[in-house]
Amino acid sequence: MRSCCPRAGRGSRRIAGGPIAGAGLDAFASEPTDPDHIFYAQRNIVMTPHIGGVTVQANARVGAEALRGICQILAGTPVPPEHIVNRTLMAAAAASLTSVENSPMPAGFRILNRTQVASKELVAAYAKLPVANVSDSMARLTAAGPALRPMHASGGMAGVALTVKSRPGDNLMLHKAIDMAVPGDVIVVDAGGDLTNALMGELMLAYAVKKGVAGFVLNGAIRDLDAFVATNLPTFAAGVTHRGPYKYGPGEINVPISLGGMVIHPGDIVIGDSDGVHCVPLAEAEAVLKSTQAKSAAEIGQMKAIAEGTNDRSWVDAALRDLGCEFPAD
């Protein structure tokens, strides 16, 4: 079948809360070519409203002109023929993009390269530190949120962020991100936290291991959970479902994304353990590392004092008195 999807453009009008200005065509190898096939002559159209507008899906028998007419009726304004584009060709063009400036793609459907990445030495240093201590050293203000939990058996994660922003339940850009990944990358995906469809499963996991991917952070669901446990590649996700993903896009690779209010830029350091996921901005990584190492050393000393029964607890009463707490009379 063929799939047609309106995309934003200049002069579009809004209906049902979103703009409609054009459509794209995807041709799939599974489309029946035999005129005697039961589905060959059928003309099917599905319209799905969403925050960004309305997606119109149709099989090949509908045709580009008919599709343009449908979009024109929905938008209330003519849709130029040049807005009927082949999204398969668009995806191929997106793969060669190197910057926003030379990109013919609209925001929301583009692939960029990282302009800077954390060094292997920095990543290795962070791999030795608890996520909680790093968080403490960054004023405990940000986190990826409690919904993202380890899907692997055990162990921590540290690597360089390769970011993906995708439509909920769609993994086309995640597939491309794995193709682009280099050893040590952590692929971080903002898919809106929707758990209806899994973003990846056993096959993509096996390919990622082969590529040397250091881990995944998925604001969405996975499937084939047993494979994630057995493989033990660090993977943090919001849930599990057997329902598979779609592969239509749109999406973006190597753009700033946000998980639980925590902003992640391409090339930042991403760490994770059983306490959750955290990101260290590259510009602050050296300073945060020194602070965290000092904190970790202090905690080692505290643990030793606790074991020996010599830990000083006087600070508790001092803090309560400073805050005006009333104590029982002696």
Side-chain angles (χ1 to χ4, degrees):
M1 63 182 296
R2 277 184 182 172
S3 164
C4 311
C5 174
R7 65 183 183 87
R10 294 180 180 176
S12 62
R13 298 182 183 178
R14 301 183 65 82
I15 76 157
I20 292 183
L25 298 178
D26 286 336
F28 297 92
S30 59
E31 182 179 310
T33 57
D34 183 359
D36 295 327
H37 193 284
I38 187 171
F39 295 120
Y40 181 82
Q42 291 192 7
R43 294 172 172 82
N44 297 318
I45 300 171
V46 177
M47 290 180 286
T48 307
H50 51 83
I51 293 176
V54 177
T55 297
V56 181
Q57 294 177 301
N59 68 355
R61 251 38 80 192
V62 172
E65 283 305 310
L67 177 64
R68 191 162 68 93
I70 293 168
C71 290
Q72 178 173 329
I73 292 172
L74 292 173
T77 186
V79 178
E82 61 268 20
H83 281 195
I84 305 295
V85 296
N86 187 312
R87 288 175 56 223
T88 302
L89 295 180
M90 288 175 67
S96 65
L97 299 182
T98 57
S99 68
V100 177
E101 288 74 18
N102 69 6
S103 170
M105 296 294 100
F109 195 26
R110 58 187 176 181
I111 299 171
L112 308 177
N113 288 328
R114 290 176 291 195
T115 58
Q116 55 184 355
V117 296
S119 68
K120 293 180 180 179
E121 293 74 19
L122 261 179
V123 172
Y126 273 97
K128 301 174 183 178
L129 300 171
V131 169
N133 284 6
V134 178
S135 178
D136 286 351
S137 298
M138 296 178 66
R140 305 167 180 168
L141 288 177
T142 61
L148 299 182
R149 300 305 304 151
M151 298 293 158
H152 55 293
S154 62
M157 175 188 72
V160 178
L162 196 167
T163 62
V164 180
K165 188 169 183 64
S166 71
R167 187 173 66 172
D170 191 290
N171 74 353
L172 179 59
M173 284 305 202
L174 176 53
H175 270 284
K176 181 59 181 175
I178 299 176
D179 286 342
M180 295 172 61
V182 298
D185 280 347
V186 171
I187 298 178
V188 188
V189 183
D190 175 14
D194 183 78
L195 305 181
T196 307
N197 297 88
L199 295 174
M200 64 177 291
E202 183 176 15
L203 295 177
M204 295 174 72
L205 175 64
Y207 178 44
V209 170
K210 186 70 172 178
K211 291 277 292 184
V213 171
F216 286 94
V217 179
L218 309 169
N219 193 15
I222 64 164
R223 66 176 179 178
D224 303 325
L225 176 60
D226 289 346
F228 283 85
V229 174
T231 303
N232 204 33
L233 179 71
T235 301
F236 296 80
V240 180
T241 178
H242 58 80
R243 295 174 65 177
Y246 297 100
K247 297 173 175 62
Y248 300 115
E252 298 178 298
I253 295 177
N254 285 327
V255 297
I257 61 174
S258 175
L259 302 180
M262 182 178 70
V263 177
I264 303 168
H265 288 82
D268 283 348
I269 295 174
V270 180
I271 56 176
D273 60 22
S274 55
D275 283 339
V277 175
H278 197 49
C279 172
V280 182
L282 185 53
E284 303 170 13
E286 292 281 2
V288 173
L289 176 61
K290 291 179 181 178
S291 177
T292 306
Q293 288 172 332
K295 179 172 180 57
S296 295
E299 288 193 356
I300 292 173
Q302 286 179 289
M303 291 294 290
K304 183 174 182 293
I306 290 172
E308 296 173 348
T310 60
N311 56 311
D312 182 5
R313 302 291 297 169
S314 61
W315 68 268
V316 178
D317 285 353
L320 290 170
R321 289 192 176 92
D322 287 345
L323 293 169
C325 178
E326 181 179 342
F327 281 74
D330 294 333

